[in-house]
Amino acid sequence: MLQPPHQSLQAAVVPAQRPPAREQAGPWHSEAVCRRDEAGLFFAPSKEPTAARLAREQAAKRVCARCPVLVQCREHALLQPEPYGVWGGLTAAERRVVLARRRRREATTADPVRRIA
């Protein structure tokens, strides 16, 4: 059975955090470049200093940038939503911004009165 990217995550995740939803990952995961990288690159250890976190996230994003399934991974993380780690080249904070924009856009297009304003 294929497992999604970041498969060795269990050891890298703080116990209070949930690991990524393996069952929901699509067939795209077998092509993910991150399957060949260290899961710790994509998920923060507990109490990671800010400078180290930023450097690690940038390194993870460089891996994502060369991934053929970046878009599928990103959509998976947005639809779950995955609360931790770098998925599809976006951090958890960046994914929250994307989701908030999508919700605002959907609310605007669903409410014709707001569209006029």
Side-chain angles (χ1 to χ4, degrees):
M1 181 166 145
L2 294 174
Q3 293 184 354
H6 318 307
Q7 62 189 358
S8 62
L9 166 70
Q10 298 261 332
V13 174
V14 177
Q17 299 174 347
R18 72 173 178 87
R22 296 176 191 209
E23 310 80 48
Q24 287 87 13
W28 55 268
H29 61 80
S30 64
E31 300 299 320
V33 172
C34 62
R35 288 181 61 86
R36 297 176 285 283
D37 289 301
E38 178 62 40
L41 185 62
F42 298 91
F43 293 90
S46 63
K47 299 181 182 178
E48 181 179 34
T50 301
R53 177 183 53 81
L54 294 173
R56 180 188 46 74
E57 288 173 347
Q58 287 305 313
K61 288 178 177 188
R62 283 192 297 274
V63 172
C64 292
R66 67 178 198 266
C67 187
V69 294
L70 179 136
V71 173
Q72 295 91 329
C73 179
R74 181 177 293 173
E75 283 305 310
H76 163 81
L78 291 167
L79 292 173
Q80 282 307 309
E82 292 292 352
Y84 307 108
V86 174
W87 288 80
L90 298 177
T91 64
E94 291 166 336
R95 290 191 305 275
R96 285 190 296 273
V97 169
V98 169
L99 289 170
R101 287 179 181 161
R102 283 184 180 182
R103 283 191 296 273
R104 281 194 302 273
R105 188 177 334 118
E106 289 169 2
T108 302
T109 58
D111 185 359
V113 174
R114 281 186 159 174
R115 249 193 329 214
I116 296 170

